[in-house]
Amino acid sequence: MAQADGSLVRVVTRHGTVGGRYEAEARSGRRVAVFRGIPYAAPPVGALRFAAPQPPAAWDGVRETTAFGPTAPKVPNPPPFDRLLPDPEVPGDDCLNLNVWTPDPARSARLPVMVWIHGGSLTRGSSAVPVYDGASFARDGVVLVSLNYRLGVLGYGLFPDAPPNRGLLDQIAALEWVRDNIAAFGGDPSRVTVFGESAGAISVGALLAAPRAAGLFARAVLQSGAPEVLPRDRVRTMVRRMASLLKVPATAAAFAAVDRSVLLTAQAAVLKRSGLLFGGPAFGLVTDPGSVPSDPLDALTVAGPDRLSDRIPLLLGWTTEEYRLWLAPTGTLRILDRLGPLAPALARLRTGKDRAAVRALRTVHPAAGPGELAGQLITDRLLRDPLRRLADTRRTAPGYVYEFGWPSGVPGMGSCHALELGFVFDTLAVPEAAWLAGPDTPQELADTMHAAWVSFAATGNPGWAAWDGSGPPRVFGGPVAEYGQDWQDGPGGATKPERVLP
C-alpha cells in the first residue's frame, strides 16, 4: 500500500517499506513517483562475491530510496569511448539494486511494466546512466524498472568452484522481485516486458531460453543484441590471464580473497588484450544446466514440441551502421580502408560470409569503402543474421522487426550502435544523450519510437505489421539503407525498408 506525504511517497515491499519521491517529468510536468536503489538481493561481498544472488535482509522503518544505489564494480570506458558513452560510478557494496518509476503507486492501477537491462559488453554500464531515466515511460502509463547486475569477472568469470552466469542469475533475481513486489508500485506482474540493448539484449535472449526465467515476463525487446553463448575456453582464458597477473589460482576462492580494486586493475589489463569484435577471449554467457542449458539461439529457433519463446511476442532490431561505434572512434575504420580489398576479405574470414555477400554489398553501396564493407559484414554476422533468424522462426506469438537509420550529429558516427537509446527513452534533452547523438536531434523521431515501445508494452503490438519474412523492417529515421539479396531472400527478393521519419 502506498502512502504519500507531499513530495514523499512510501511503498511496502516484501522486505520492508521504501521511501521515494514525487518528481516532475521534464516535458509534461506530470508527477511521477521515483524509487532509486531498492535492494533486490544481498550485497555480493565476502563469501557471496562469486555466489548466486541471495535474498536481501529485511529492514525496519522506512528505507530511503531517493538516490541511485551503488553500481556494480567495473572499470571505466577507455578513451575515446569515455567521451561518447556516459557510465557513472556510485561507490558501495550493495550493488544488486533496482529503480522504479511509476505514475500511480497503487495496487489498483495494474499498469504495464517494462524492465530495462543495460548494455556495456557485460563489463560496464549501470542503471544510473542518465539516458536511461524512466520518467517518460511513467509519464505515458508504464511502470519502468531498471536494474544493476554483476559485471566482468564478478558476473561472468568462469570458475570451477562457482556458478557460471552470475550476472544472469542476478537478472532473474531482479525479475523475481518484480513478480513479488511490482503490484505495490502500480504494476501488473502479468504484463512485464523485459528489454535491453547490446549486452542487455544478449541477456534478454538468454532469459528467453532460461527455464528459471519462465513466467517472469510476457514480452521481450532485443535492441542490437542477439541470443548467444561463448565457448567456455574463451571465457576461462580471461580468468586464467587475470590469475597470472594476480599470482593466485584461477578459482573463485582465490579471487574472493583479492582486494576488489586490485581485482579490477587486473580485469582492466586483460580487457585491453581481449578482442570481442574480431574474436578471442572475452567475458560472456556460457551454457550451464543451472541457467542456460543450451545455446539460446538454437533453443529459440530450432523446431520442437515446446519451444520456450513461442508464446512471447518479440520486438527486435538494429541500427543501420552498428559497426561505426566499434570501428570509427578508434581509427580502425580508417585502417581498414587503407587495407583495401584485404579488409572485407578479413571480415569474411571472421564472419564466414562468401564473396557473393561482398558483391551484394558493393552493388547496394557502390561508394562504400573497404572498412564500411567489412563493418557491414560483421554487423550481419553478429546482429542482423541471428535476429532475422529469430524473427523468421516465430510460430505462435508475433515478432516485430525495426531498423534505426537516423545518423548521429557526431562526425563519422552515422547510425551507430547504441544511438537509438535516447530516442527509445525519450531522453534527448539529457546532456549525456548528446555525447553520442550530437546536437539538433529530432524530437519527432523520439516521439514516434518511444510511443512504439510503450504500445508494445501495453498491447504486445508496436504499431506495424508482424514480421513474416517477406517484407521490410520498420525503419525509424533516415537515410534508409538499401539491401541486396544477401540481406533478404524472401519471395519478393531484395526490398527497401519502409521510411518513417523524417
Side-chain angles (χ1 to χ4, degrees), residues 112-114 134 136-144 191 193 195 219 221 315 424-426 446-463:
V113 180
M114 298 188 76
S136 60
F137 278 106
R139 173 199 69 201
D140 294 329
V142 173
V143 177
L144 193 286
R191 285 202 293 165
T193 298
F195 71 131
R219 297 165 189 139
V221 182
L315 171 59
V424 168
F425 278 85
D426 189 15
D447 292 342
T448 302
M449 197 168 193
H450 174 76
W453 265 241
V454 169
S455 176
F456 182 73
T459 70
N461 187 325

PDB file of all heavy atoms in Angstrom, residues 112-114 134 136-144 191 193 195 219 221 315 424-426 446-463:
ATOM      1  N   PRO A 112       1.057  -1.655 -17.249  1.00  0.00           N
ATOM      2  CA  PRO A 112       2.123  -2.456 -17.858  1.00  0.00           C
ATOM      3  C   PRO A 112       3.469  -2.098 -17.255  1.00  0.00           C
ATOM      4  O   PRO A 112       3.695  -0.964 -16.819  1.00  0.00           O
ATOM      5  CB  PRO A 112       2.049  -2.091 -19.341  1.00  0.00           C
ATOM      6  CG  PRO A 112       1.359  -0.772 -19.377  1.00  0.00           C
ATOM      7  CD  PRO A 112       0.410  -0.763 -18.214  1.00  0.00           C
ATOM      8  N   VAL A 113       4.361  -3.062 -17.236  1.00  0.00           N
ATOM      9  CA  VAL A 113       5.682  -2.916 -16.618  1.00  0.00           C
ATOM     10  C   VAL A 113       6.757  -3.174 -17.667  1.00  0.00           C
ATOM     11  O   VAL A 113       6.627  -4.095 -18.482  1.00  0.00           O
ATOM     12  CB  VAL A 113       5.855  -3.910 -15.446  1.00  0.00           C
ATOM     13  CG1 VAL A 113       7.234  -3.764 -14.799  1.00  0.00           C
ATOM     14  CG2 VAL A 113       4.740  -3.743 -14.424  1.00  0.00           C
ATOM     15  N   MET A 114       7.800  -2.363 -17.668  1.00  0.00           N
ATOM     16  CA  MET A 114       8.964  -2.606 -18.512  1.00  0.00           C
ATOM     17  C   MET A 114      10.198  -2.689 -17.617  1.00  0.00           C
ATOM     18  O   MET A 114      10.402  -1.834 -16.746  1.00  0.00           O
ATOM     19  CB  MET A 114       9.133  -1.507 -19.557  1.00  0.00           C
ATOM     20  CG  MET A 114       7.981  -1.396 -20.536  1.00  0.00           C
ATOM     21  SD  MET A 114       8.308  -0.256 -21.903  1.00  0.00           S
ATOM     22  CE  MET A 114       9.411  -1.260 -22.933  1.00  0.00           C
ATOM     23  N   GLY A 134      13.702   6.771 -16.452  1.00  0.00           N
ATOM     24  CA  GLY A 134      12.424   6.151 -16.807  1.00  0.00           C
ATOM     25  C   GLY A 134      11.202   7.032 -16.688  1.00  0.00           C
ATOM     26  O   GLY A 134      10.078   6.555 -16.853  1.00  0.00           O
ATOM     27  N   SER A 136       9.861   9.322 -18.618  1.00  0.00           N
ATOM     28  CA  SER A 136       8.977   9.447 -19.784  1.00  0.00           C
ATOM     29  C   SER A 136       8.112   8.211 -19.967  1.00  0.00           C
ATOM     30  O   SER A 136       6.975   8.307 -20.442  1.00  0.00           O
ATOM     31  CB  SER A 136       9.790   9.731 -21.052  1.00  0.00           C
ATOM     32  OG  SER A 136      10.701   8.684 -21.305  1.00  0.00           O
ATOM     33  N   PHE A 137       8.610   7.028 -19.605  1.00  0.00           N
ATOM     34  CA  PHE A 137       7.767   5.836 -19.654  1.00  0.00           C
ATOM     35  C   PHE A 137       6.647   5.937 -18.628  1.00  0.00           C
ATOM     36  O   PHE A 137       5.482   5.628 -18.920  1.00  0.00           O
ATOM     37  CB  PHE A 137       8.609   4.583 -19.432  1.00  0.00           C
ATOM     38  CG  PHE A 137       9.312   4.099 -20.658  1.00  0.00           C
ATOM     39  CD1 PHE A 137      10.678   4.282 -20.815  1.00  0.00           C
ATOM     40  CD2 PHE A 137       8.625   3.465 -21.684  1.00  0.00           C
ATOM     41  CE1 PHE A 137      11.334   3.851 -21.950  1.00  0.00           C
ATOM     42  CE2 PHE A 137       9.259   3.020 -22.827  1.00  0.00           C
ATOM     43  CZ  PHE A 137      10.631   3.216 -22.965  1.00  0.00           C
ATOM     44  N   ALA A 138       6.988   6.386 -17.408  1.00  0.00           N
ATOM     45  CA  ALA A 138       5.955   6.550 -16.388  1.00  0.00           C
ATOM     46  C   ALA A 138       4.941   7.613 -16.803  1.00  0.00           C
ATOM     47  O   ALA A 138       3.734   7.456 -16.587  1.00  0.00           O
ATOM     48  CB  ALA A 138       6.606   6.913 -15.057  1.00  0.00           C
ATOM     49  N   ARG A 139       5.421   8.693 -17.401  1.00  0.00           N
ATOM     50  CA  ARG A 139       4.527   9.738 -17.927  1.00  0.00           C
ATOM     51  C   ARG A 139       3.473   9.150 -18.851  1.00  0.00           C
ATOM     52  O   ARG A 139       2.316   9.587 -18.872  1.00  0.00           O
ATOM     53  CB  ARG A 139       5.364  10.771 -18.686  1.00  0.00           C
ATOM     54  CG  ARG A 139       4.588  11.843 -19.429  1.00  0.00           C
ATOM     55  CD  ARG A 139       5.481  12.479 -20.493  1.00  0.00           C
ATOM     56  NE  ARG A 139       5.787  11.560 -21.575  1.00  0.00           N
ATOM     57  CZ  ARG A 139       6.829  11.685 -22.408  1.00  0.00           C
ATOM     58  NH1 ARG A 139       7.679  12.696 -22.267  1.00  0.00           N
ATOM     59  NH2 ARG A 139       7.020  10.802 -23.373  1.00  0.00           N
ATOM     60  N   ASP A 140       3.870   8.120 -19.614  1.00  0.00           N
ATOM     61  CA  ASP A 140       2.983   7.531 -20.613  1.00  0.00           C
ATOM     62  C   ASP A 140       2.302   6.252 -20.136  1.00  0.00           C
ATOM     63  O   ASP A 140       1.852   5.440 -20.942  1.00  0.00           O
ATOM     64  CB  ASP A 140       3.768   7.278 -21.901  1.00  0.00           C
ATOM     65  CG  ASP A 140       4.229   8.572 -22.546  1.00  0.00           C
ATOM     66  OD1 ASP A 140       3.522   9.581 -22.399  1.00  0.00           O
ATOM     67  OD2 ASP A 140       5.301   8.586 -23.186  1.00  0.00           O
ATOM     68  N   GLY A 141       2.258   6.056 -18.804  1.00  0.00           N
ATOM     69  CA  GLY A 141       1.438   4.979 -18.260  1.00  0.00           C
ATOM     70  C   GLY A 141       2.122   3.654 -18.065  1.00  0.00           C
ATOM     71  O   GLY A 141       1.452   2.623 -17.916  1.00  0.00           O
ATOM     72  N   VAL A 142       3.454   3.631 -18.042  1.00  0.00           N
ATOM     73  CA  VAL A 142       4.209   2.396 -17.863  1.00  0.00           C
ATOM     74  C   VAL A 142       5.008   2.486 -16.569  1.00  0.00           C
ATOM     75  O   VAL A 142       5.607   3.516 -16.260  1.00  0.00           O
ATOM     76  CB  VAL A 142       5.176   2.163 -19.045  1.00  0.00           C
ATOM     77  CG1 VAL A 142       6.099   0.977 -18.786  1.00  0.00           C
ATOM     78  CG2 VAL A 142       4.388   1.952 -20.336  1.00  0.00           C
ATOM     79  N   VAL A 143       5.040   1.407 -15.783  1.00  0.00           N
ATOM     80  CA  VAL A 143       5.938   1.314 -14.643  1.00  0.00           C
ATOM     81  C   VAL A 143       7.289   0.827 -15.168  1.00  0.00           C
ATOM     82  O   VAL A 143       7.383  -0.267 -15.725  1.00  0.00           O
ATOM     83  CB  VAL A 143       5.395   0.346 -13.578  1.00  0.00           C
ATOM     84  CG1 VAL A 143       6.390   0.221 -12.420  1.00  0.00           C
ATOM     85  CG2 VAL A 143       4.038   0.808 -13.075  1.00  0.00           C
ATOM     86  N   LEU A 144       8.309   1.661 -15.037  1.00  0.00           N
ATOM     87  CA  LEU A 144       9.630   1.353 -15.574  1.00  0.00           C
ATOM     88  C   LEU A 144      10.553   0.920 -14.446  1.00  0.00           C
ATOM     89  O   LEU A 144      10.700   1.627 -13.438  1.00  0.00           O
ATOM     90  CB  LEU A 144      10.207   2.577 -16.293  1.00  0.00           C
ATOM     91  CG  LEU A 144      11.448   2.445 -17.191  1.00  0.00           C
ATOM     92  CD1 LEU A 144      12.737   2.255 -16.399  1.00  0.00           C
ATOM     93  CD2 LEU A 144      11.308   1.306 -18.195  1.00  0.00           C
ATOM     94  N   ARG A 191       1.948  -8.478 -16.920  1.00  0.00           N
ATOM     95  CA  ARG A 191       2.237  -7.712 -18.144  1.00  0.00           C
ATOM     96  C   ARG A 191       3.633  -7.086 -18.051  1.00  0.00           C
ATOM     97  O   ARG A 191       3.792  -5.875 -18.156  1.00  0.00           O
ATOM     98  CB  ARG A 191       1.185  -6.632 -18.367  1.00  0.00           C
ATOM     99  CG  ARG A 191      -0.144  -7.144 -18.862  1.00  0.00           C
ATOM    100  CD  ARG A 191      -0.927  -6.027 -19.549  1.00  0.00           C
ATOM    101  NE  ARG A 191      -1.340  -4.980 -18.610  1.00  0.00           N
ATOM    102  CZ  ARG A 191      -1.769  -3.779 -19.009  1.00  0.00           C
ATOM    103  NH1 ARG A 191      -1.795  -3.459 -20.292  1.00  0.00           N
ATOM    104  NH2 ARG A 191      -2.152  -2.891 -18.107  1.00  0.00           N
ATOM    105  N   THR A 193       7.302  -6.566 -19.587  1.00  0.00           N
ATOM    106  CA  THR A 193       8.136  -6.612 -20.788  1.00  0.00           C
ATOM    107  C   THR A 193       9.577  -6.414 -20.360  1.00  0.00           C
ATOM    108  O   THR A 193       9.902  -5.420 -19.701  1.00  0.00           O
ATOM    109  CB  THR A 193       7.750  -5.504 -21.783  1.00  0.00           C
ATOM    110  OG1 THR A 193       6.401  -5.700 -22.210  1.00  0.00           O
ATOM    111  CG2 THR A 193       8.670  -5.509 -22.997  1.00  0.00           C
ATOM    112  N   PHE A 195      13.373  -5.628 -21.570  1.00  0.00           N
ATOM    113  CA  PHE A 195      14.022  -5.090 -22.763  1.00  0.00           C
ATOM    114  C   PHE A 195      15.448  -4.685 -22.444  1.00  0.00           C
ATOM    115  O   PHE A 195      15.783  -4.344 -21.313  1.00  0.00           O
ATOM    116  CB  PHE A 195      13.210  -3.950 -23.389  1.00  0.00           C
ATOM    117  CG  PHE A 195      13.158  -2.620 -22.659  1.00  0.00           C
ATOM    118  CD1 PHE A 195      13.417  -1.440 -23.347  1.00  0.00           C
ATOM    119  CD2 PHE A 195      12.790  -2.542 -21.317  1.00  0.00           C
ATOM    120  CE1 PHE A 195      13.325  -0.200 -22.699  1.00  0.00           C
ATOM    121  CE2 PHE A 195      12.685  -1.304 -20.676  1.00  0.00           C
ATOM    122  CZ  PHE A 195      12.967  -0.135 -21.375  1.00  0.00           C
ATOM    123  N   ARG A 219       6.586 -10.309 -22.528  1.00  0.00           N
ATOM    124  CA  ARG A 219       7.041  -9.765 -23.802  1.00  0.00           C
ATOM    125  C   ARG A 219       8.519  -9.441 -23.684  1.00  0.00           C
ATOM    126  O   ARG A 219       9.037  -9.273 -22.572  1.00  0.00           O
ATOM    127  CB  ARG A 219       6.244  -8.505 -24.178  1.00  0.00           C
ATOM    128  CG  ARG A 219       4.769  -8.795 -24.390  1.00  0.00           C
ATOM    129  CD  ARG A 219       3.900  -7.546 -24.409  1.00  0.00           C
ATOM    130  NE  ARG A 219       2.499  -7.934 -24.408  1.00  0.00           N
ATOM    131  CZ  ARG A 219       1.560  -7.333 -23.716  1.00  0.00           C
ATOM    132  NH1 ARG A 219       1.854  -6.288 -22.948  1.00  0.00           N
ATOM    133  NH2 ARG A 219       0.318  -7.759 -23.776  1.00  0.00           N
ATOM    134  N   VAL A 221      12.037  -7.337 -25.728  1.00  0.00           N
ATOM    135  CA  VAL A 221      12.599  -6.454 -26.741  1.00  0.00           C
ATOM    136  C   VAL A 221      14.102  -6.668 -26.772  1.00  0.00           C
ATOM    137  O   VAL A 221      14.772  -6.601 -25.732  1.00  0.00           O
ATOM    138  CB  VAL A 221      12.300  -4.967 -26.440  1.00  0.00           C
ATOM    139  CG1 VAL A 221      12.850  -4.077 -27.544  1.00  0.00           C
ATOM    140  CG2 VAL A 221      10.811  -4.750 -26.233  1.00  0.00           C
ATOM    141  N   LEU A 315       9.943  -7.819 -29.975  1.00  0.00           N
ATOM    142  CA  LEU A 315      10.291  -6.635 -30.755  1.00  0.00           C
ATOM    143  C   LEU A 315      11.811  -6.632 -30.848  1.00  0.00           C
ATOM    144  O   LEU A 315      12.491  -6.681 -29.818  1.00  0.00           O
ATOM    145  CB  LEU A 315       9.781  -5.375 -30.059  1.00  0.00           C
ATOM    146  CG  LEU A 315      10.222  -4.010 -30.622  1.00  0.00           C
ATOM    147  CD1 LEU A 315       9.794  -3.842 -32.061  1.00  0.00           C
ATOM    148  CD2 LEU A 315       9.655  -2.885 -29.756  1.00  0.00           C
ATOM    149  N   VAL A 424      14.432   5.894 -27.729  1.00  0.00           N
ATOM    150  CA  VAL A 424      13.552   4.933 -27.069  1.00  0.00           C
ATOM    151  C   VAL A 424      13.103   5.459 -25.705  1.00  0.00           C
ATOM    152  O   VAL A 424      11.925   5.372 -25.343  1.00  0.00           O
ATOM    153  CB  VAL A 424      14.264   3.572 -26.919  1.00  0.00           C
ATOM    154  CG1 VAL A 424      13.492   2.648 -25.977  1.00  0.00           C
ATOM    155  CG2 VAL A 424      14.424   2.896 -28.277  1.00  0.00           C
ATOM    156  N   PHE A 425      14.042   6.032 -24.934  1.00  0.00           N
ATOM    157  CA  PHE A 425      13.711   6.530 -23.604  1.00  0.00           C
ATOM    158  C   PHE A 425      13.146   7.950 -23.628  1.00  0.00           C
ATOM    159  O   PHE A 425      12.719   8.443 -22.585  1.00  0.00           O
ATOM    160  CB  PHE A 425      14.952   6.477 -22.705  1.00  0.00           C
ATOM    161  CG  PHE A 425      15.214   5.128 -22.103  1.00  0.00           C
ATOM    162  CD1 PHE A 425      15.919   4.163 -22.807  1.00  0.00           C
ATOM    163  CD2 PHE A 425      14.743   4.819 -20.841  1.00  0.00           C
ATOM    164  CE1 PHE A 425      16.159   2.909 -22.258  1.00  0.00           C
ATOM    165  CE2 PHE A 425      14.969   3.574 -20.279  1.00  0.00           C
ATOM    166  CZ  PHE A 425      15.679   2.606 -20.984  1.00  0.00           C
ATOM    167  N   ASP A 426      13.140   8.588 -24.809  1.00  0.00           N
ATOM    168  CA  ASP A 426      12.701   9.980 -24.920  1.00  0.00           C
ATOM    169  C   ASP A 426      13.473  10.859 -23.932  1.00  0.00           C
ATOM    170  O   ASP A 426      12.900  11.641 -23.168  1.00  0.00           O
ATOM    171  CB  ASP A 426      11.195  10.097 -24.686  1.00  0.00           C
ATOM    172  CG  ASP A 426      10.666  11.506 -25.014  1.00  0.00           C
ATOM    173  OD1 ASP A 426      11.399  12.270 -25.671  1.00  0.00           O
ATOM    174  OD2 ASP A 426       9.539  11.821 -24.586  1.00  0.00           O
ATOM    175  N   ALA A 446      11.942  10.759 -31.717  1.00  0.00           N
ATOM    176  CA  ALA A 446      11.851  10.189 -30.373  1.00  0.00           C
ATOM    177  C   ALA A 446      10.403   9.938 -29.985  1.00  0.00           C
ATOM    178  O   ALA A 446      10.075   8.896 -29.395  1.00  0.00           O
ATOM    179  CB  ALA A 446      12.527  11.113 -29.363  1.00  0.00           C
ATOM    180  N   ASP A 447       9.514  10.877 -30.315  1.00  0.00           N
ATOM    181  CA  ASP A 447       8.091  10.692 -30.010  1.00  0.00           C
ATOM    182  C   ASP A 447       7.556   9.420 -30.646  1.00  0.00           C
ATOM    183  O   ASP A 447       6.833   8.635 -30.020  1.00  0.00           O
ATOM    184  CB  ASP A 447       7.286  11.891 -30.508  1.00  0.00           C
ATOM    185  CG  ASP A 447       7.579  13.175 -29.748  1.00  0.00           C
ATOM    186  OD1 ASP A 447       8.129  13.094 -28.627  1.00  0.00           O
ATOM    187  OD2 ASP A 447       7.267  14.254 -30.288  1.00  0.00           O
ATOM    188  N   THR A 448       7.912   9.212 -31.912  1.00  0.00           N
ATOM    189  CA  THR A 448       7.409   8.041 -32.646  1.00  0.00           C
ATOM    190  C   THR A 448       7.986   6.745 -32.106  1.00  0.00           C
ATOM    191  O   THR A 448       7.260   5.759 -31.879  1.00  0.00           O
ATOM    192  CB  THR A 448       7.744   8.180 -34.140  1.00  0.00           C
ATOM    193  OG1 THR A 448       7.164   9.373 -34.646  1.00  0.00           O
ATOM    194  CG2 THR A 448       7.220   6.992 -34.928  1.00  0.00           C
ATOM    195  N   MET A 449       9.290   6.732 -31.875  1.00  0.00           N
ATOM    196  CA  MET A 449       9.934   5.492 -31.439  1.00  0.00           C
ATOM    197  C   MET A 449       9.532   5.142 -30.004  1.00  0.00           C
ATOM    198  O   MET A 449       9.209   3.990 -29.698  1.00  0.00           O
ATOM    199  CB  MET A 449      11.442   5.632 -31.565  1.00  0.00           C
ATOM    200  CG  MET A 449      12.189   4.310 -31.549  1.00  0.00           C
ATOM    201  SD  MET A 449      13.914   4.524 -32.052  1.00  0.00           S
ATOM    202  CE  MET A 449      14.363   2.798 -32.315  1.00  0.00           C
ATOM    203  N   HIS A 450       9.551   6.126 -29.119  1.00  0.00           N
ATOM    204  CA  HIS A 450       9.156   5.893 -27.731  1.00  0.00           C
ATOM    205  C   HIS A 450       7.716   5.387 -27.662  1.00  0.00           C
ATOM    206  O   HIS A 450       7.417   4.450 -26.908  1.00  0.00           O
ATOM    207  CB  HIS A 450       9.319   7.199 -26.949  1.00  0.00           C
ATOM    208  CG  HIS A 450       8.824   7.130 -25.543  1.00  0.00           C
ATOM    209  ND1 HIS A 450       9.515   6.486 -24.534  1.00  0.00           N
ATOM    210  CD2 HIS A 450       7.685   7.629 -24.970  1.00  0.00           C
ATOM    211  CE1 HIS A 450       8.835   6.593 -23.403  1.00  0.00           C
ATOM    212  NE2 HIS A 450       7.726   7.278 -23.638  1.00  0.00           N
ATOM    213  N   ALA A 451       6.835   5.979 -28.459  1.00  0.00           N
ATOM    214  CA  ALA A 451       5.430   5.548 -28.464  1.00  0.00           C
ATOM    215  C   ALA A 451       5.286   4.104 -28.912  1.00  0.00           C
ATOM    216  O   ALA A 451       4.413   3.372 -28.421  1.00  0.00           O
ATOM    217  CB  ALA A 451       4.603   6.461 -29.362  1.00  0.00           C
ATOM    218  N   ALA A 452       6.144   3.663 -29.840  1.00  0.00           N
ATOM    219  CA  ALA A 452       6.087   2.277 -30.297  1.00  0.00           C
ATOM    220  C   ALA A 452       6.449   1.317 -29.167  1.00  0.00           C
ATOM    221  O   ALA A 452       5.818   0.264 -28.996  1.00  0.00           O
ATOM    222  CB  ALA A 452       7.024   2.078 -31.484  1.00  0.00           C
ATOM    223  N   TRP A 453       7.466   1.678 -28.371  1.00  0.00           N
ATOM    224  CA  TRP A 453       7.871   0.816 -27.259  1.00  0.00           C
ATOM    225  C   TRP A 453       6.771   0.788 -26.197  1.00  0.00           C
ATOM    226  O   TRP A 453       6.484  -0.267 -25.624  1.00  0.00           O
ATOM    227  CB  TRP A 453       9.190   1.312 -26.687  1.00  0.00           C
ATOM    228  CG  TRP A 453      10.416   0.629 -27.224  1.00  0.00           C
ATOM    229  CD1 TRP A 453      11.324  -0.088 -26.502  1.00  0.00           C
ATOM    230  CD2 TRP A 453      10.884   0.575 -28.586  1.00  0.00           C
ATOM    231  NE1 TRP A 453      12.330  -0.566 -27.326  1.00  0.00           N
ATOM    232  CE2 TRP A 453      12.079  -0.178 -28.596  1.00  0.00           C
ATOM    233  CE3 TRP A 453      10.419   1.102 -29.788  1.00  0.00           C
ATOM    234  CZ2 TRP A 453      12.798  -0.417 -29.763  1.00  0.00           C
ATOM    235  CZ3 TRP A 453      11.130   0.863 -30.950  1.00  0.00           C
ATOM    236  CH2 TRP A 453      12.297   0.112 -30.934  1.00  0.00           C
ATOM    237  N   VAL A 454       6.153   1.929 -25.915  1.00  0.00           N
ATOM    238  CA  VAL A 454       5.059   1.983 -24.954  1.00  0.00           C
ATOM    239  C   VAL A 454       3.888   1.127 -25.441  1.00  0.00           C
ATOM    240  O   VAL A 454       3.290   0.361 -24.671  1.00  0.00           O
ATOM    241  CB  VAL A 454       4.612   3.443 -24.723  1.00  0.00           C
ATOM    242  CG1 VAL A 454       3.308   3.490 -23.929  1.00  0.00           C
ATOM    243  CG2 VAL A 454       5.702   4.227 -24.004  1.00  0.00           C
ATOM    244  N   SER A 455       3.566   1.230 -26.723  1.00  0.00           N
ATOM    245  CA  SER A 455       2.467   0.451 -27.281  1.00  0.00           C
ATOM    246  C   SER A 455       2.751  -1.046 -27.178  1.00  0.00           C
ATOM    247  O   SER A 455       1.855  -1.838 -26.852  1.00  0.00           O
ATOM    248  CB  SER A 455       2.238   0.845 -28.743  1.00  0.00           C
ATOM    249  OG  SER A 455       1.245   0.035 -29.344  1.00  0.00           O
ATOM    250  N   PHE A 456       3.989  -1.437 -27.445  1.00  0.00           N
ATOM    251  CA  PHE A 456       4.333  -2.849 -27.362  1.00  0.00           C
ATOM    252  C   PHE A 456       4.177  -3.356 -25.931  1.00  0.00           C
ATOM    253  O   PHE A 456       3.655  -4.457 -25.704  1.00  0.00           O
ATOM    254  CB  PHE A 456       5.764  -3.066 -27.852  1.00  0.00           C
ATOM    255  CG  PHE A 456       6.192  -4.507 -27.855  1.00  0.00           C
ATOM    256  CD1 PHE A 456       5.704  -5.391 -28.797  1.00  0.00           C
ATOM    257  CD2 PHE A 456       7.079  -4.979 -26.900  1.00  0.00           C
ATOM    258  CE1 PHE A 456       6.092  -6.728 -28.799  1.00  0.00           C
ATOM    259  CE2 PHE A 456       7.478  -6.306 -26.889  1.00  0.00           C
ATOM    260  CZ  PHE A 456       6.983  -7.181 -27.843  1.00  0.00           C
ATOM    261  N   ALA A 457       4.624  -2.550 -24.957  1.00  0.00           N
ATOM    262  CA  ALA A 457       4.493  -2.962 -23.558  1.00  0.00           C
ATOM    263  C   ALA A 457       3.027  -3.072 -23.146  1.00  0.00           C
ATOM    264  O   ALA A 457       2.638  -3.970 -22.397  1.00  0.00           O
ATOM    265  CB  ALA A 457       5.223  -1.979 -22.651  1.00  0.00           C
ATOM    266  N   ALA A 458       2.205  -2.178 -23.646  1.00  0.00           N
ATOM    267  CA  ALA A 458       0.795  -2.131 -23.236  1.00  0.00           C
ATOM    268  C   ALA A 458      -0.066  -3.159 -23.952  1.00  0.00           C
ATOM    269  O   ALA A 458      -0.981  -3.731 -23.356  1.00  0.00           O
ATOM    270  CB  ALA A 458       0.237  -0.733 -23.477  1.00  0.00           C
ATOM    271  N   THR A 459       0.225  -3.403 -25.245  1.00  0.00           N
ATOM    272  CA  THR A 459      -0.673  -4.231 -26.062  1.00  0.00           C
ATOM    273  C   THR A 459      -0.010  -5.432 -26.705  1.00  0.00           C
ATOM    274  O   THR A 459      -0.712  -6.311 -27.227  1.00  0.00           O
ATOM    275  CB  THR A 459      -1.289  -3.373 -27.185  1.00  0.00           C
ATOM    276  OG1 THR A 459      -0.268  -3.039 -28.145  1.00  0.00           O
ATOM    277  CG2 THR A 459      -1.898  -2.094 -26.632  1.00  0.00           C
ATOM    278  N   GLY A 460       1.333  -5.459 -26.756  1.00  0.00           N
ATOM    279  CA  GLY A 460       2.027  -6.517 -27.484  1.00  0.00           C
ATOM    280  C   GLY A 460       2.197  -6.216 -28.952  1.00  0.00           C
ATOM    281  O   GLY A 460       2.705  -7.056 -29.702  1.00  0.00           O
ATOM    282  N   ASN A 461       1.815  -5.009 -29.395  1.00  0.00           N
ATOM    283  CA  ASN A 461       1.948  -4.602 -30.794  1.00  0.00           C
ATOM    284  C   ASN A 461       2.518  -3.189 -30.829  1.00  0.00           C
ATOM    285  O   ASN A 461       1.919  -2.266 -30.287  1.00  0.00           O
ATOM    286  CB  ASN A 461       0.577  -4.635 -31.475  1.00  0.00           C
ATOM    287  CG  ASN A 461       0.653  -4.386 -32.975  1.00  0.00           C
ATOM    288  OD1 ASN A 461       1.472  -3.614 -33.454  1.00  0.00           O
ATOM    289  ND2 ASN A 461      -0.223  -5.035 -33.720  1.00  0.00           N
ATOM    290  N   PRO A 462       3.663  -2.978 -31.500  1.00  0.00           N
ATOM    291  CA  PRO A 462       4.266  -1.644 -31.529  1.00  0.00           C
ATOM    292  C   PRO A 462       3.629  -0.702 -32.540  1.00  0.00           C
ATOM    293  O   PRO A 462       3.979   0.481 -32.579  1.00  0.00           O
ATOM    294  CB  PRO A 462       5.717  -1.931 -31.896  1.00  0.00           C
ATOM    295  CG  PRO A 462       5.640  -3.163 -32.741  1.00  0.00           C
ATOM    296  CD  PRO A 462       4.507  -3.982 -32.170  1.00  0.00           C
ATOM    297  N   GLY A 463       2.750  -1.234 -33.396  1.00  0.00           N
ATOM    298  CA  GLY A 463       2.069  -0.354 -34.325  1.00  0.00           C
ATOM    299  C   GLY A 463       2.334  -0.607 -35.781  1.00  0.00           C
ATOM    300  O   GLY A 463       1.953   0.194 -36.642  1.00  0.00           O
TER     301      GLY A 463
END
